[in-house]
Amino acid sequence: MKEPFKASKVTDRVYWVGAIDWALREFHGYATERGTTYNAYLIVADRVTLVDTVKAPFMDEMLSRVASVVPPENIDYIISNHSEMDHSGALPAVIRQVKPEKVFASAMGCKALEAHFHMGNAITPVKDGETVSLGNASLTFVETRMLHWPDSMFSFFDKDGVLFSQDAFGMHLASAQRFADELELTLLEFEATKYFANILTPYAALVTNLLEKTKALNLPIRVIAPDHGPIYRRDLSWILDLYGRFAAQKPTNRAVVAYDTMWGSTDKMARAIAEGVTAGGGVPELFQMRKAHRSNVATALLEAGAFLVGSPTMNNMMFPTVADVLNYVRGLRFKNLIGAAFGSYGWSGEAVKQVEEILSAMEVELVSKSVSVKYVPTKDDLAQCHQLGAKVAKRLAEVCGE
Ligand code: FEO
């Protein structure tokens, strides 16, 4: 019978057999406006090997793609590079159906898979640097702990030079094209930035180590095959250099202004601050949090130099949407930011201090006393906001070495 879903050939012996999730718009707090793919790969060697699986509801799509190459029951080995459920959700059912001879994961991966699926330790652990023979080819494993889970590892397929990099070098982008060289560079850069900012920023220093470790291993990598988004088969340095740039988190002259407003006062303040940033030579980007998504603020912050946060006070607290974005970006542990707090209030005015405390906890260098306005800003108040923006731009020029 003709399979409704077809595999895509990546190299002589490797096929993409994943699933395209065109409808996904949310991924644990991250807005995936362009959907995603769950990439799984089939290696057709003496030992037929499946690298990663897909999110559980997409198992039939994956097995149909496998069946367009070989009967799924021919799979000898399964590799689990990462146990998060977008890649392992289908694993227990695939194991039941295919009955592979062995399933491999890192030692931490074995523990994580057991804690997820309670299969009675059915997984074989592999060590960092270990090689498993596939008969006429082999796979070498490279541990990538905390990139971005403790279990994460890469697998390298020697015969065709394919690095299966799980989440690293990935992006949330549903497309009919399988290869990065078939897609627009600006689109790729935006989605790769968004992915790194929202998933990998807390581990940015480890990315630098990983890039060095991979270089030192001298693996003849010809293809980078991540678990989300397109595959890199040409100009691998484009994505490797991009990761080097992201990991450095070098400040730029961009100022992210995240705020919300009750009756328009904090909005007026944010817009006056933006004018001041521009006048000082910086580039502001404003996000009003009832209309913007927290993950887009994170994306902008990855390559910004300043973070200004504004909130009205409501019931002695900062506005809920401002608390949401601060909670999110604080967890992502951005580095090398300067900033300030601002906001309006009616009688008690605690919000600005609360924002300032969180910015300090994030190690944001506060360049100025916060600006707080009672009810509605006067012309003088807005001039003060403008000055705050200009001061931020001046400090940005200093930290960027302009
Ligand atoms: Fe794509 Fe960390 O899962």
Side-chain angles (χ1 to χ4, degrees), residues 27-28 38 82-87 148-149 152 166-167 172 195 199 227-228:
F27 187 96
H28 59 49
Y38 312 111
H82 179 27
S83 42
E84 193 161 7
M85 285 204 264
D86 46 334
H87 311 297
H148 68 119
W149 275 22
S152 304
Q166 39 91 20
D167 282 339
H172 287 309
Y195 193 86
I199 306 282
D227 272 359
H228 297 288

Side-chain angles (χ1 to χ4, degrees), residues 260-267 288 290 311-315 317 319-320 344-345 347:
D260 218 329
T261 195
M262 281 174 75
W263 292 105
S265 294
T266 311
D267 179 64
Q288 192 185 119
R290 259 176 297 174
S311 178
T313 295
M314 190 169 80
N315 300 328
M317 301 298 288
F319 206 70
S344 63
Y345 66 99
W347 49 99

